[in-house]
Amino acid sequence: MQSKHWLSALALGASLIAGAAQAQTTVRIAWYSDGNEGEVVSDLLKRFEAQNKDIKVVLDQVPYKAITENLPVQLASGQGPDIARVVDLGGIARYALDLRPYLKDAAYWDKNFGPFLPWMRPAGDDKAITGFMTQLTVTGPLVNKTLFEQAGIAMPGAKASWDDWAKAAKAVATKVQAPFPIAMDRSGHRFFGLAISEGAQVFDAKGEPAVIDDGFKRAAQRVLDWHKDGVMAKELWGSVSGAAYRGANDEFKNAQVVMYVSGSWQIAQFDKTVGNAFDWVAAPSPCGAAACTGMPGGAGLVAIKATKSPEAVAKVMEYLASEPVLSEFYARSLFVPGHLGIAAKGLDYKDASAQAKAALKVFSDQVANLSPVAYKLQGYVNNRIIFNAAISRVGQAISGETSLDEAYKRIASDVEQQIAERNKK
């Protein structure tokens, strides 16, 4: 009889364990990384799981291209993760879950993430809380200081123009035989930092896209001329076509680039990959005809409305967005905070080198100089359409497939058509 009792107790225990396992909710996060942030968030999520045994978090670390190209297709078909780290905030907004009904303290989100929440809202919505910024990014130059020193050429100062930098970078490259005087990410987002500094307004008086104006043309002509004059090398932008992204991370870390126009998200990576091979610095945004501005941006962590577990998703998001956890995430990832409270207090980037800390300060200081047009474009729901049309068509002009005048017509046509198509859906 005792063995029967023991067996039935064992069976009961097994069923309870099975029941507990079945009760565990799985939350999947699609995550891409520029530097070490995937390792950092993975570590933070382990702590969350230890405190919340009923929720299992699966972090799917994927390439950036999977986020920009594959994820929108998945979401359009009703598939995809529960949470995703994305850069096309406006494009993904239609698939986003409004967390407000599930949050314990929505006022905390309004207070600390307020200026960035509209970037992640569906068109016409002025209330939803769909996510938070995993970092605020600022575009701008990263400069190989050692190459300037080896060439014996002074680095341009704080209010230097694009012309000043092009002239100096070309002179340095010629003297030290570096193949890339200026490298700029082949990205519409990066290009518009230059375009807005040259006076591009992007929108008309009604707030509708009016991409082609004198400022835009000045920037496009400048980039075309740089490719002709050898300030920029065709091997970078010319190695891909369409709206495809091409960075110059490898070229920069191998000391082949004098000035790399990219942004603050590169700091953690270069702090690690460059090490003490050479000295590099962040420089303030060069000045164009209208402003000395880069583009704001960053990656947002967004909840997806197709999730079957909104309460669990909200719990994960609340944990990651909480001030102590997010402070640690920003500090360990070497990111400019996208949280007003943390930004006001300042962060101790204790794991960063002296040059990484100095670069973070330069980019943080640039936030105050960003053009209102840059903020407006970054918050525009269809900005990815504008970015892609610009880089695709300007890229064709640079590769000799078309003229700039033809590129301007095609950009205007692409933007109009694609926005109309998106609005039909």
Side-chain angles (χ1 to χ4, degrees):
M1 291 292 288
Q2 278 185 332
S3 64
K4 278 186 182 177
H5 285 305
W6 181 78
L7 285 168
S8 61
L10 189 67
L12 178 62
S15 70
L16 287 171
I17 291 166
Q22 285 168 354
Q24 193 176 48
T25 302
T26 298
V27 172
R28 297 197 80 93
I29 303 177
W31 183 279
Y32 84 93
S33 294
D34 288 308
N36 70 331
E37 65 267 35
E39 298 162 33
V40 175
V41 79
S42 183
D43 182 34
L44 296 171
L45 287 169
K46 281 175 193 165
R47 291 185 220 163
F48 172 83
E49 287 182 322
Q51 296 162 19
N52 299 272
K53 302 287 188 189
D54 58 327
I55 300 174
K56 178 176 177 57
V57 184
V58 177
L59 189 73
D60 295 317
Q61 301 213 46
V62 300
Y64 176 72
K65 192 174 180 181
I67 294 291
T68 56
E69 296 180 14
N70 303 348
L71 182 65
V73 177
Q74 284 182 308
L75 296 177
S77 67
Q79 305 299 308
D82 301 286
I83 299 170
R85 185 178 190 227
V86 300
V87 288
D88 181 11
L89 302 170
I92 298 300
R94 70 184 63 200
Y95 307 113
L97 170 72
D98 182 7
L99 292 164
R100 194 179 283 276
Y102 306 100
L103 297 172
K104 287 179 185 167
D105 185 7
Y108 166 84
W109 291 66
D110 290 326
K111 180 182 176 185
N112 291 295
F113 303 115
F116 318 114
L117 294 177
W119 293 0
M120 295 175 257
R121 283 177 181 145
D125 190 323
D126 62 356
K127 290 281 194 306
I129 297 174
T130 61
F132 66 92
M133 298 304 288
T134 55
Q135 88 266 46
L136 185 64
T137 62
V138 184
T139 64
L142 296 153
V143 182
N144 187 319
K145 186 183 173 191
T146 297
L147 291 182
F148 269 91
E149 290 167 352
Q150 287 173 349
I153 292 171
M155 203 179 296
K159 291 288 184 183
S161 70
W162 281 106
D163 285 335
D164 295 333
W165 274 106
K167 187 178 174 184
K170 184 81 188 296
V172 170
T174 300
K175 202 147 187 188
V176 301
Q177 296 187 310
F180 305 103
I182 292 179
M184 179 187 288
D185 289 332
R186 191 182 185 278
S187 150
H189 183 264
R190 244 62 86 231
F191 172 78
F192 268 98
L194 168 61
I196 293 169
S197 79
E198 289 293 354
Q201 293 299 305
V202 191
F203 302 98
D204 63 20
K206 295 178 183 173
E208 295 299 320
V211 178
I212 307 303
D213 58 15
D214 288 345
F216 184 96
K217 289 179 181 179
R218 271 194 294 272
Q221 186 67 56
R222 186 181 289 282
V223 172
L224 183 71
D225 290 344
W226 281 348
H227 278 89
K228 284 179 181 171
D229 301 343
V231 173
M232 288 178 75
K234 285 187 179 174
E235 294 98 291
L236 295 180
W237 280 33
S239 66
V240 290
S241 60
Y245 171 83
R246 170 71 156 88
N249 294 39
D250 288 341
E251 290 80 5
F252 185 80
K253 77 180 183 189
N254 291 325
Q256 296 175 302
V257 179
V258 179
M259 179 170 106
Y260 180 22
V261 182
S262 192
S264 56
W265 60 92
Q266 301 282 22
I267 294 172
Q269 183 179 155
F270 290 147
D271 199 27
K272 193 174 182 178
T273 58
V274 174
N276 58 6
F278 59 84
D279 291 332
W280 57 273
V281 296
S285 290
C287 300
C292 315
T293 186
M295 277 290 294
L301 196 64
V302 176
I304 305 301
K305 69 180 173 187
T307 181
K308 293 181 170 59
S309 312
E311 292 87 357
V313 165
K315 209 168 183 181
V316 173
M317 294 287 279
E318 279 181 315
Y319 167 79
L320 291 173
S322 65
E323 191 165 318
V325 173
L326 198 50
S327 292
E328 183 179 343
F329 174 78
Y330 290 144
R332 288 173 62 187
S333 301
L334 309 190
F335 283 157
V336 176
H339 177 293
L340 300 185
I342 296 170
K345 289 174 187 172
L347 277 174
D348 177 16
Y349 297 100
K350 60 180 184 293
D351 296 330
S353 67
Q355 64 185 2
K357 284 182 182 177
L360 280 159
K361 179 165 185 0
V362 170
F363 279 115
S364 296
D365 290 347
Q366 289 301 294
V367 173
N369 299 327
L370 292 170
S371 161
V373 179
Y375 273 111
K376 188 174 182 180
L377 176 56
Q378 182 59 21
Y380 178 54
V381 70
N382 293 314
N383 63 14
R384 182 67 45 173
I385 289 172
I386 293 175
F387 293 150
N388 287 352
I391 207 67
S392 175
R393 299 308 186 179
V394 171
Q396 286 177 334
I398 287 164
S399 64
E401 294 171 49
T402 187
S403 67
L404 269 182
D405 284 339
E406 186 60 31
Y408 299 150
K409 289 176 194 166
R410 290 181 180 180
I411 289 166
S413 170
D414 288 348
V415 169
E416 188 179 345
Q417 276 184 330
Q418 289 171 33
I419 290 176
E421 282 169 23
R422 183 180 269 187
N423 290 340
K424 279 182 202 168
K425 294 175 185 175

